Amino acid sequence: MEVTNKYIVIKHHIEDSPKESHFEVKTEAIGLSLKPGSDEVIIKNLYISIDPYLINRMKSYSASHNAISFATPLTPGQAIDALVIGRVVTSGNAKFEKDDLVMGVFTWAEYSVVKEQSIIKKLESFEFPLTYHLGILGFSGLSAYGGFFEICKPRKGETVFVSAASGSVGNIVGQYAKLLGCYVVGCAGSQKKVTLLKEELGFDDAFNYKEETDLNSTLKRYFPDGIDIYFDNVGGEMLEAAVANMKAFGRVSVCGVISEYTDIGKRASPNMMDVVYKRITIRGFLAADYMNVFGDFSAKTLDYLRNGQLRVIEDRSLGVESIPSAFVGLFNGDNVGKKVVVLADE
Amino acid sequence: MEVTNKYIVIKHHIEDSPKESHFEVKTEAIGLSLKPGSDEVIIKNLYISIDPYLINRMKSYSASHNAISFATPLTPGQAIDALVIGRVVTSGNAKFEKDDLVMGVFTWAEYSVVKEQSIIKKLESFEFPLTYHLGILGFSGLSAYGGFFEICKPRKGETVFVSAASGSVGNIVGQYAKLLGCYVVGCAGSQKKVTLLKEELGFDDAFNYKEETDLNSTLKRYFPDGIDIYFDNVGGEMLEAAVANMKAFGRVSVCGVISEYTDIGKRASPNMMDVVYKRITIRGFLAADYMNVFGDFSAKTLDYLRNGQLRVIEDRSLGVESIPSAFVGLFNGDNVGKKVVVLADE
Ligand SMILES: NC(=O)c1ccc[n+]([C@@H]2O[C@H](COP(=O)([O-])OP(=O)(O)OC[C@H]3O[C@@H](n4cnc5c(N)ncnc54)[C@H](OP(=O)(O)O)[C@@H]3O)[C@@H](O)[C@H]2O)c1
Ligand SMILES: NC(=O)c1ccc[n+]([C@@H]2O[C@H](COP(=O)([O-])OP(=O)(O)OC[C@H]3O[C@@H](n4cnc5c(N)ncnc54)[C@H](OP(=O)(O)O)[C@@H]3O)[C@@H](O)[C@H]2O)c1
């Protein structure tokens, strides 16, 4: 049997803000049976994780390209690889059989034909939506967990500031910090998001950064005695203002710098005099470095979920054609929580 | 008995590069005997430590002022406090007696009248020059030790880059790193200093940063496989270039940012994409935080000195009138190694 497979490509490298017109939906005919002897696995994709870092792979040059294997540049015209949950249609590999649910690095496509090494793990349907494996129980959760607990070594009562706080990683960081007993303030790009943070997610306070003219004074207002921990998702001026407002021995965990991804000339220049005199630590990390604590992370997070102590915020779009707008939307703040594109019924 | 005491003041706050004309030699008559009941100690100053950070205290505003007690702003017209070694002339305090050698936070002056809390410790003449207590066995050494071993956690074989490498802290860091078995490159501001680093101090390589036009490529040339550890004394473009050339899991120990002290508009903007993707740690510190390892530091460093494994580089000027030029010279790279002003014979 043959099907038409729609997949998404970039038409050319993207050097600044992504637009839907930079993308193209392509189609190909693929057979759903494998040649004898093939060890491939054909997967029908169900849920696609939409992640900001891909913009860096879409550039012709980025400092990130040489840093780590999964940050290599994408080739215009070719299928884009991303984190996906799908169901096996046909398998030439003895470890997988038809109807298995799998998560792995597949493609922005309806179907992906992959080798074993692209499959991260088999999944089973469980008490929560499968998409949690892409967000709260997947890399967003692990980023929040590793970047907050392992990098920041937070203590009860400390003051915590989170940017992109209504986003997938940010909202989890804020909730973990509240569960630990920290004082938590988040910023986000709309009044609606601010309300969500304060009224649904338990943040002590929150503000819309787009309405502030002097972030330095804004942070002084929210943290009159200074910030112990800044969980940075955005970089740029927000990082500068946070460093200026850190307490002595403050820690900045740099998860991402989304405001710098789409503006190659934009660079944070935190005051290094603050860094020295206040003995601040600024540290970058990748979730992948924390696979060693995945067991702990996942056990604790599942417990919190079962006890109703963590709220899960997902933002879904439907159909392969919606991938470009879902992706572009990340850079406009359209999403609230984990952005996922749903391609088919389970 | 009364003496004329010469002391140095700033005429006004200094907002950019210090010039000798910003300073003034003042004189006052002071009695060398104390009023009955006074608990003060009168000290004849012998050696004055000349330190870059004082420029930050001479500004009308600096991020450093509120960070820590010893960074408070200086008042024009008033005696400038600094690290000094002196000899007790008269003591109203039972813990000190005439002719004791003491180190403490005294003044840029021939004589200082102080209270007990300004005296850090009594010294004895020992096998090495007393001035070592201001440099290699004092805060320069402790900065090098704490900032290199405690912050960078270096391992044998790692690649280390040091800026202001012929300076007081820098030259010690480079020598410690060589003793550990690291590959060490330093930069400094003249050919003479470069020769010193390579031929006398055992650095693997060194360059004159003033002759380089593109620091990024310069560092790529010296570290084709990247930098594990950058010990930063200067900030600015050098910090940016170092971050761009760090290896994965690289560590930047920020000891000082002298190039930014005299130029309020100058800020390093290291690429945060490098910080995230290469999981770089940038961490500021103050030597004072490492008093807990002072014993280890001093035992090890004395051992190295006794075995002839550490070279000591000092740069002396004579007389209280030479303090302004000695200080100004730090910002022009006039000094080689620890800058000390000698005021009187022991
Ligand atoms: N280190 C790692 O391993 C790792 C793993 C996952 C994610 N990350 C990073 O973590 C950050 C958050 O990722 P996520 O997956 O949780 O995405 P997300 O926060 O769910 O979505 C991105 C959000 O960023 C905000 N944003 C977009 N442009 C911005 C700008 N110019 N200035 C300030 N905010 C902006 C938007 O919210 P507003 O409405 O608030 O503007 C948007 O909703 C990203 O930087 C990402 O690259 C790192
Ligand atoms: N964190 C702490 O506790 C602590 C303690 C002591 C010192 N420090 C800091 O460590 C650094 C070194 O201090 P030090 O006492 O050892 O002084 P030093 O290095 O002996 O003297 C300063 C040297 O800095 C270099 N320099 C001056 N202006 C520069 C510029 N614009 N760009 C690049 N290099 C410049 C000069 O050498 P070149 O000829 O190479 O230009 C000069 O000789 C300073 O930043 C200081 O504030 C920090």
Side-chain angles (χ1 to χ4, degrees):
Chain A
M1 185 187 143
E2 221 184 53
V3 291
T4 303
N5 182 33
K6 289 193 193 149
Y7 63 102
I8 309 293
V9 303
I10 47 171
K11 293 185 197 161
H12 46 71
H13 287 122
I14 303 175
E15 311 299 351
D16 43 23
S17 294
K19 295 192 181 53
E20 288 186 52
S21 61
H22 296 152
F23 298 87
E24 195 178 341
V25 186
K26 283 199 166 188
T27 54
E28 61 182 355
I30 59 166
L32 293 187
S33 50
L34 290 165
K35 289 201 194 87
S38 162
D39 61 352
E40 288 175 333
V41 180
I42 303 178
I43 292 159
K44 183 173 160 105
N45 295 329
L46 303 175
Y47 304 110
I48 296 195
S49 173
I50 305 294
D51 292 297
Y53 83 98
L54 278 173
I55 191 68
N56 298 321
R57 300 186 59 204
M58 293 171 184
K59 296 176 189 169
S60 56
Y61 171 80
S62 162
S64 58
H65 289 168
N66 301 315
I68 192 161
S69 59
F70 60 73
T72 49
L74 293 169
T75 308
Q78 294 193 1
I80 291 165
D81 47 294
L83 201 67
V84 177
I85 291 171
R87 199 178 276 286
V88 173
V89 178
T90 318
S91 174
N93 183 304
K95 293 188 191 145
F96 304 97
E97 54 186 55
K98 185 166 179 327
D99 291 334
D100 276 354
L101 282 168
V102 288
M103 180 164 80
V105 182
F106 308 153
T107 43
W108 278 6
E110 293 173 306
Y111 292 89
S112 302
V113 182
V114 307
K115 301 255 189 204
E116 181 181 339
Q117 62 265 31
S118 298
I119 301 177
I120 299 172
K121 62 178 166 190
K122 278 200 216 181
L123 301 175
E124 317 245 312
S125 17
F126 74 139
E127 57 195 302
F128 298 110
L130 272 183
T131 49
Y132 283 24
H133 291 297
L134 299 180
I136 189 128
L137 293 171
F139 279 113
S140 301
L142 188 62
S143 301
Y145 189 88
F148 183 60
F149 292 107
E150 299 286 318
I151 301 255
C152 300
K153 311 265 184 233
R155 287 179 296 269
K156 191 178 163 170
E158 287 194 310
T159 59
V160 176
F161 175 50
V162 189
S163 54
S166 76
S168 186
V169 177
N171 90 79
I172 306 171
V173 172
Q175 292 188 79
Y176 279 148
K178 280 312 300 171
L179 286 165
L180 182 69
C182 295
Y183 178 83
V184 185
V185 178
C187 70
S190 74
Q191 193 46 51
K192 190 182 113 201
K193 290 179 173 183
V194 167
T195 305
L196 171 80
L197 295 173
K198 292 205 285 190
E199 295 182 7
E200 315 252 332
L201 300 182
F203 281 59
D204 294 289
D205 221 327
F207 64 89
N208 176 356
Y209 68 92
K210 292 184 181 162
E211 285 179 353
E212 301 294 327
T213 47
D214 173 7
L215 294 173
N216 208 326
S217 335
T218 304
L219 289 182
K220 219 172 284 313
R221 212 162 66 230
Y222 286 96
F223 296 96
D225 300 319
I227 301 170
D228 289 304
I229 291 172
Y230 173 42
F231 193 99
D232 190 13
N233 286 310
V234 308
E237 305 86 354
M238 196 62 86
L239 175 55
E240 294 171 8
V243 165
N245 282 281
M246 296 307 281
K247 285 193 205 178
F249 300 104
R251 291 136 274 156
V252 177
S253 175
V254 192
C255 177
V257 290
I258 195 168
S259 80
E260 302 180 32
Y261 295 167
T262 51
D263 182 349
I264 206 147
K266 184 162 175 171
R267 290 275 183 90
S269 44
N271 191 340
M272 287 294 150
M273 301 259 289
D274 279 314
V275 171
V276 174
Y277 282 92
K278 298 195 285 190
R279 294 84 115 206
I280 294 169
T281 303
I282 299 177
R283 188 157 164 205
F285 73 93
L286 293 177
D289 301 334
Y290 293 103
M291 290 310 293
N292 63 321
V293 297
F294 193 89
D296 284 350
F297 146 68
S298 136
K300 278 191 201 145
T301 305
L302 270 168
D303 262 0
Y304 285 140
L305 287 172
R306 287 181 182 130
N307 299 333
Q309 292 170 288
L310 271 180
R311 282 280 313 269
V312 178
I313 319 285
E314 276 191 357
D315 187 321
R316 295 171 170 224
S317 309
L318 284 182
V320 71
E321 283 92 350
S322 76
I323 293 176
S325 74
F327 180 70
V328 168
L330 294 176
F331 301 91
N332 301 326
D334 294 344
N335 66 308
V336 184
K338 178 64 200 165
K339 187 72 202 179
V340 172
V341 173
V342 180
L343 295 193
D345 289 338
E346 283 178 30
Chain B
M1 186 186 142
E2 221 184 51
V3 292
T4 303
N5 182 31
K6 289 193 192 148
Y7 62 104
I8 309 293
V9 303
I10 47 170
K11 294 186 197 160
H12 46 71
H13 288 122
I14 303 175
E15 311 299 350
D16 43 23
S17 294
K19 295 190 183 52
E20 288 186 51
S21 61
H22 296 152
F23 297 88
E24 194 177 342
V25 186
K26 284 200 166 184
T27 54
E28 60 182 355
I30 59 167
L32 293 187
S33 49
L34 290 165
K35 290 203 192 88
S38 161
D39 61 352
E40 289 176 331
V41 181
I42 303 178
I43 292 157
K44 182 171 161 98
N45 295 328
L46 303 174
Y47 303 110
I48 297 196
S49 174
I50 305 293
D51 293 297
Y53 83 98
L54 279 172
I55 190 69
N56 299 321
R57 300 186 59 203
M58 293 172 185
K59 297 175 190 169
S60 56
Y61 171 80
S62 162
S64 58
H65 290 169
N66 301 316
I68 193 159
S69 59
F70 60 73
T72 48
L74 293 169
T75 308
Q78 294 194 0
I80 291 165
D81 47 295
L83 201 67
V84 177
I85 290 172
R87 199 179 276 288
V88 173
V89 178
T90 318
S91 175
N93 182 304
K95 293 189 191 143
F96 304 96
E97 54 187 54
K98 186 166 179 329
D99 291 335
D100 277 354
L101 282 168
V102 288
M103 180 164 80
V105 182
F106 308 153
T107 42
W108 277 7
E110 292 173 305
Y111 293 87
S112 303
V113 182
V114 306
K115 301 256 188 202
E116 180 182 339
Q117 61 265 30
S118 299
I119 301 177
I120 298 172
K121 61 178 167 190
K122 278 202 217 180
L123 302 175
E124 316 247 311
S125 20
F126 73 140
E127 57 196 303
F128 298 110
L130 271 183
T131 49
Y132 282 24
H133 291 297
L134 298 179
I136 188 128
L137 293 172
F139 280 113
S140 301
L142 188 61
S143 301
Y145 189 88
F148 183 59
F149 293 107
E150 299 286 319
I151 302 254
C152 301
K153 311 267 184 232
R155 287 179 296 270
K156 189 177 164 173
E158 287 196 309
T159 59
V160 176
F161 175 50
V162 188
S163 53
S166 75
S168 187
V169 177
N171 90 79
I172 307 171
V173 171
Q175 293 189 80
Y176 279 147
K178 280 311 301 170
L179 286 164
L180 181 70
C182 296
Y183 178 83
V184 185
V185 178
C187 69
S190 74
Q191 192 47 49
K192 189 183 113 202
K193 290 179 173 185
V194 167
T195 305
L196 171 80
L197 295 172
K198 293 205 284 191
E199 295 181 7
E200 315 252 332
L201 300 181
F203 281 59
D204 293 289
D205 221 326
F207 65 88
N208 176 354
Y209 68 93
K210 291 184 181 162
E211 285 179 354
E212 301 294 328
T213 47
D214 173 6
L215 294 173
N216 208 327
S217 336
T218 305
L219 290 182
K220 221 172 282 312
R221 211 162 68 229
Y222 286 95
F223 295 96
D225 300 320
I227 301 170
D228 289 302
I229 290 172
Y230 172 43
F231 192 100
D232 190 13
N233 286 310
V234 307
E237 306 86 354
M238 197 61 87
L239 175 55
E240 294 171 8
V243 165
N245 281 281
M246 297 305 281
K247 285 193 205 179
F249 301 103
R251 290 136 273 156
V252 177
S253 174
V254 192
C255 177
V257 290
I258 196 168
S259 80
E260 302 180 30
Y261 294 167
T262 50
D263 182 349
I264 206 149
K266 185 162 177 172
R267 290 274 183 90
S269 44
N271 191 340
M272 287 294 151
M273 300 260 289
D274 279 314
V275 171
V276 174
Y277 281 94
K278 296 195 286 189
R279 293 84 114 208
I280 294 169
T281 303
I282 299 177
R283 189 159 163 202
F285 73 93
L286 293 176
D289 300 334
Y290 293 103
M291 290 312 292
N292 62 321
V293 297
F294 193 90
D296 286 349
F297 147 68
S298 135
K300 278 191 201 145
T301 306
L302 270 168
D303 263 0
Y304 285 139
L305 287 172
R306 288 181 181 129
N307 299 333
Q309 292 171 287
L310 271 180
R311 281 280 314 269
V312 177
I313 318 284
E314 276 192 356
D315 187 323
R316 295 172 170 223
S317 308
L318 284 182
V320 72
E321 283 92 349
S322 75
I323 293 176
S325 75
F327 180 70
V328 168
L330 293 176
F331 301 91
N332 301 326
D334 293 345
N335 66 308
V336 184
K338 177 65 200 165
K339 186 73 202 178
V340 172
V341 173
V342 180
L343 295 193
D345 289 339
E346 283 178 30

